[in-house]
Amino acid sequence: MSNTSGTADDRSEERRGGAGSVQSVDRAVSVLEILAKLGEAGVTEISEELGVHKSTAFRILGVLEHRGLVEQERERGKYYLGAGVLRLAGAAAIRLDISQEGQPVCRALADDTGETANIAVLDGDAAVNIMQARGAAAVTAYNWLGRRTPLHATASGKVLLAHLPHERRESLATRKLPRFTENTLTTASGLRAQLTAALEDGFACTSEELEIGLNAVAAPVRAHDGQVIGAIGVSGPAYRMARQRLPDLAERAARAAVELSRRMGYGG
């Protein structure tokens, strides 16, 4: 009797959205934690742990299974954590590793160039800066740490975008590209040309494309399997990082990228 009532309440909450949606997310996370603790469990066990009706537990498991976060052992009907969890955990581990291994490399690049050095990783449709070091000449401090920046208007973003699988790259390159300055690339054809150049040159540059007076260069960081997992670069005021100086700074960034890639296990 109480279970039937609970099911109706659950469905009502899900239809209402808002607090019900938050509760659904909380329950989904709880399912993952239960499976992490038990190793495997059936619908009945999970529903009892959650304190919900079996039908509610079954719906949550169905969504998680669809996303690859749980899998079901068909003969016994038991659920266990799926490969999708490993994928997410691997991405988190890579961020931790690149932060740890990148610290001395980022510091050395800042010292070498005198400018602000950054390490960025892909975060959905943007680049997020996970590390920053300031060189001696970086009197005016641009604080990029933790900031999400557009892929098409930053050097690190162009590097990350250039190395995405073709379909994903095209999807991001052909959508509406916001203009930040008069120098921002806002056409798919123009962006494609720069992405091709980034692949051929091994680095990308921006000249006052995100902010007036700000230039930057960046190069790709690779994991042990050769996959590009980040970008390391240098940014600074245009009067100091003039266009004619960008190729030299890009070479220095590329050397730093090779060193960080080596630290990440890449031997290419």
Side-chain angles (χ1 to χ4, degrees), residues 2-267:
S2 60
N3 280 345
T4 304
S5 175
T7 303
D9 289 343
D10 293 337
R11 287 174 178 167
S12 177
E13 286 173 354
E14 288 171 5
R15 283 195 297 269
R16 285 199 302 269
S21 297
V22 172
Q23 186 177 51
S24 295
V25 173
D26 182 69
R27 286 172 174 171
V29 173
S30 295
V31 169
L32 297 177
E33 291 176 339
I34 290 166
L35 293 177
K37 178 180 69 175
L38 300 179
E40 61 177 26
V43 176
T44 300
E45 293 172 89
I46 291 170
S47 66
E48 290 175 351
E49 287 275 346
L50 289 178
V52 300
H53 194 273
K54 285 174 63 176
S55 61
T56 299
F58 187 76
R59 286 198 303 274
I60 295 170
L61 286 163
V63 172
L64 293 174
E65 185 175 18
H66 178 69
R67 300 302 293 267
L69 297 175
V70 304
E71 295 178 19
Q72 185 180 28
E73 206 283 316
R74 296 302 173 189
E75 291 185 6
R76 295 182 300 136
K78 297 280 189 177
Y79 289 88
Y80 54 92
L81 293 178
V85 172
L86 296 177
R87 184 183 70 249
L88 296 177
I94 284 174
R95 284 200 182 193
L96 289 173
D97 287 345
I98 199 172
S99 294
Q100 292 171 354
E101 297 296 339
Q103 188 171 4
V105 180
C106 192
R107 176 73 265 166
L109 180 60
D111 290 342
D112 179 39
T113 61
E115 304 295 347
T116 300
N118 291 281
I119 296 175
V121 296
L122 190 67
D123 185 25
D125 61 353
V128 63
N129 292 280
I130 62 172
M131 182 159 295
Q132 176 174 288
R134 296 191 182 101
V139 179
T140 303
Y142 290 90
N143 186 13
W144 300 106
L145 198 58
R147 181 174 168 183
R148 296 179 83 251
T149 55
L151 298 176
H152 70 289
T154 59
S156 294
K158 288 179 185 178
V159 166
L160 296 170
L161 184 55
H163 288 86
L164 285 176
H166 177 75
E167 186 174 333
R168 175 67 172 150
R169 184 172 67 244
E170 277 295 295
S171 173
L172 292 171
T174 55
R175 65 179 183 168
K176 182 177 176 58
L177 302 173
R179 180 180 295 280
F180 300 97
T181 75
E182 61 183 13
N183 297 318
T184 306
L185 279 171
T186 58
T187 65
S189 58
L191 182 56
R192 282 196 196 98
Q194 289 214 355
L195 297 180
T196 299
L199 291 173
E200 293 174 350
D201 299 337
F203 60 83
C205 302
T206 53
S207 182
E208 301 186 88
E209 295 176 38
L210 181 63
E211 295 181 9
I212 293 296
L214 180 68
N215 289 353
V217 297
V221 177
R222 299 179 183 275
H224 65 92
D225 58 359
Q227 179 183 355
V228 172
I229 55 172
I232 184 168
V234 180
S235 61
Y239 70 85
R240 229 175 21 234
M241 286 184 57
R243 285 176 182 255
Q244 59 268 28
R245 192 185 172 208
L246 295 185
D248 173 63
L249 290 170
E251 285 186 17
R252 299 186 191 199
R255 288 197 295 269
V258 169
E259 170 60 19
L260 182 49
S261 297
R262 184 190 65 77
R263 285 172 170 263
M264 296 299 295
Y266 180 60

